[in-house]
C-alpha cells in the first residue's frame, strides 16, 4: 500500500502526465517514499528561532543505517568549483540580494495568469507573470522575471528543452507570506537555472522524467531558496517538501547554491537524490540548512560530493545520508556556523566524514 506521503510527492511531479502513466506508477508502487525529518530549530516569520516540533515519527531503518563504502570504485580527483561572479562568489554563498531580479527591478510587461511559450528560441525578459510559465518550445530563455506560479517545461509527456532560466524568481504575490501551492518552482529536465531564487514555497527544483522524450541534464547553480510550509499545515497534510528533489531524473549538477529549509517543520531534505531511478549528481560548494538530513544522496552515480557546508544544528537527524559506494570523490564537506546577513561562513564546526 502506498503511503500518503509517497502519493503526495509524486502528485506534483505527475501533475501534467497522462492518466495512464499515473495509473501505471500507482499500480506498481514505484513512488517516492520520502522520509520525515524534523529540523532542530527554524526561524519564525520574524526571523527568530522557533522551538523544534515534537514528532512521533522516527527515521526508518533504511535511513538510519550507515551505508558501507564500496571498494570497487576508485576515488578520483575533482577540481573545486569557483562560484559565480559578483558579490556572491566564493567564499560567499548566494543570498536573496544576489539572486532573482535585481534591486529596484520593475517589469516591462505583466502577464495576468499563465504565460504559454510555443515558439522555439523565445526570450522572456523583465516580465511579471502572475500565473505559471508553461514552456512548450525548444531553446527558450527566461531572464530577469518574477513568477507567482512555477516554471515548467514538462507537458504532454515531452520535455521542451533546452530551457535556460537566469536572474529569475518564483515568489508569492504581495501580501502572501506562505503558499499552499505544492508544485515545484522550477522543473523538470534539460534546463539550466542560474542565480534563480525561491522564497517561501514548499518545493524548489524538480529533476525528473528521464524516460520521456527530450529529457536532458540539469544544472542548478548560484541560486538561493528559502523553503517554507504554512504554519499548522504539517499537522494536517505533512507535505514532505524538498529544496531539490530528483525522481527518475537525469544527471543534475548542483553547484554553489544556498538552500534554507528551516521554515519547514516536516521536511525531507534540501537536497534529495534518492534511489528512485535517478542517474545521479555532482554536488559541490553548496550551503545547506534544515531537513531531516540536510543532504541525501542514495541513488545514481556521484562523481563529486565536495565542499558542501551544512549549518550546524539546523537538521533533525544528521548533516548527510549518503551511499558511499556511489561516490567517486567525497571531500571538503563540513558543518559550519553561518552569517545569513552576509552570506559568509564564520567558523567550521566539524568535518563531515561519512565516506
Amino acid at each position: 500500500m502506498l503511503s500518503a506521503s509517497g502519493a503526495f510527492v509524486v502528485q506534483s511531479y505527475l501533475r501534467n502526465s497522462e492518466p495512464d502513466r499515473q495509473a501505471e506508477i500507482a499500480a506498481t508502487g514505484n513512488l517516492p517514499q520520502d522520509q520525515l525529518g524534523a529540523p532542530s530549530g527554524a526561524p519564525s516569520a520574524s526571523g527568530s528561532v522557533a522551538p523544534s516540533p515534537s514528532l512521533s515519527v522516527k527515521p526508518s531503518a533504511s535511513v538510519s543505517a550507515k551505508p558501507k563504502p564500496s571498494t570497487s570504485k576508485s576515488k578520483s580527483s575533482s577540481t573545486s568549483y569557483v562560484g559565480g561572479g559578483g558579490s556572491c562568489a566564493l567564499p560567499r554563498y548566494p543570498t536573496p540580494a544576489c539572486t532573482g531580479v535585481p534591486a529596484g527591478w520593475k517589469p516591462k510587461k505583466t502577464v495576468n495568469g499563465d504565460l504559454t511559450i510555443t515558439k522555439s528560441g523565445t526570450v522572456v525578459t523583465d516580465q511579471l507573470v502572475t500565473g505559471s510559465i508553461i514552456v512548450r518550445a525548444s531553446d527558450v530563455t527566461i531572464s530577469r522575471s518574477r513568477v507567482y506560479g512555477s516554471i515548467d517545461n514538462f507537458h504532454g509527456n515531452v520535455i521542451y528543452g533546452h530551457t535556460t532560466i537566469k536572474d529569475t524568481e518564483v515568489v508569492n504575490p504581495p501580501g502572501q507570506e506562505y503558499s499552499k501551492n505544492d508544485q515545484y518552482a522550477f522543473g523538470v529536465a534539460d534546463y539550466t537555472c542560474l542565480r534563480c531564487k525561491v522564497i517561501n514555497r514548499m518545493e524548489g527544483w524538480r529533476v525528473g522524467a528521464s524516460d520521456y522524450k527530450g529529457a536532458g541534464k540539469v544544472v542548478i547553480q548560484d541560486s538561493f531558496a528559502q523553503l517554507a510550509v504554512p504554519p499548522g499545515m504539517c499537522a494536517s497534510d505533512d507535505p514532505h517538501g524538498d529544496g531539490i528533489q530528483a525522481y527518475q531524473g537525469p544527471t543534475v549538477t548542483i553547484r554553489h547554491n544556498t538552500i534554507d529549509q528551516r521554515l519547514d517543520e516536516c521536511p525531507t531534505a534540501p537536497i534529495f537524490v534518492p534511489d528512485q531511478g535517478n542517474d545521479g549528481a555532482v554536488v559541490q560548494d553548496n550551503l545547506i540548512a534544515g531537513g531531516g538530513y540536510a543532504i541525501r544522496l542514495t541513488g545514481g552515480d556521484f562523481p563529486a560530493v565536495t565542499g558542501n557546508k551544512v549549518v550546524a544544528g539546523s537538521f533533525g537527524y544528521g548533516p548527510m545520508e549518503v551511499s558511499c559506494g556511489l561516490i567517486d570523490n567525497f571531500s571538503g564537506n563540513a558543518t559550519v556556523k553561518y552569517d545569513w546577513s552576509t552570506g559568509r561562513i564564520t567558523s567550521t564546526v566539524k568535518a563531515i566524514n561519512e565516506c
Side-chain angles (χ1 to χ4, degrees), residues 9-182:
V9 172
V10 82
Q11 177 185 356
S12 59
Y13 167 69
L14 292 174
R15 188 176 304 278
N16 298 302
S17 298
E18 82 282 11
D20 289 346
R21 175 64 173 166
Q22 296 187 38
E24 175 189 33
I25 293 180
T28 61
N30 188 19
L31 294 175
Q33 300 296 316
D34 285 354
Q35 302 295 332
L36 177 63
S40 58
S44 66
S46 62
S48 60
V49 175
S52 303
S54 175
L55 295 174
S56 59
V57 180
K58 302 296 182 183
S60 67
S62 62
V63 171
S64 59
K66 298 286 186 180
K68 293 183 179 180
S70 168
T71 56
S72 63
K73 281 198 171 210
S74 61
K75 302 300 179 184
S76 62
S77 61
S78 176
T79 303
S80 180
Y81 166 77
V82 177
S87 60
C88 283
L90 286 171
R92 288 194 60 194
Y93 293 86
T95 68
C98 59
T99 53
V101 299
W105 174 87
K106 293 183 179 180
K108 294 181 179 178
K109 181 180 179 180
T110 296
V111 177
N112 291 310
D114 294 342
L115 171 62
T116 300
I117 301 170
T118 58
K119 182 179 179 181
S120 296
T122 296
V123 177
V124 175
T125 304
D126 288 313
Q127 294 198 22
L128 170 62
V129 179
T130 66
S132 295
I133 297 182
I134 299 168
V135 177
R136 289 181 175 269
S138 61
D139 300 316
V140 170
T141 298
I142 301 165
S143 67
R144 292 170 53 103
S145 293
R146 176 176 292 161
V147 179
Y148 295 155
S150 62
I151 299 176
D152 199 343
N153 68 354
F154 178 39
H155 306 283
N157 306 312
V158 176
I159 297 292
Y160 293 90
H162 184 76
T163 306
T164 300
I165 311 162
K166 54 187 179 180
D167 304 305
T168 290
E169 57 191 47
V170 172
V171 298
N172 298 321
Q176 181 182 326
E177 185 173 7
Y178 302 106
S179 174
K180 292 186 178 181
N181 185 350
D182 61 11

Side-chain angles (χ1 to χ4, degrees), residues 228-269:
V229 170
M233 186 174 180
C234 285
S236 59
D237 293 340
D238 207 5
H240 290 299
D242 305 279
I244 299 171
Q245 181 186 349
Y247 173 64
Q248 294 186 346
T251 300
V252 54
T253 296
I254 305 169
R255 188 175 276 154
H256 191 241
N257 305 287
T258 299
I259 304 179
D260 179 8
Q261 202 172 6
R262 294 173 299 158
L263 281 173
D264 183 345
E265 295 182 345
C266 49
T268 302

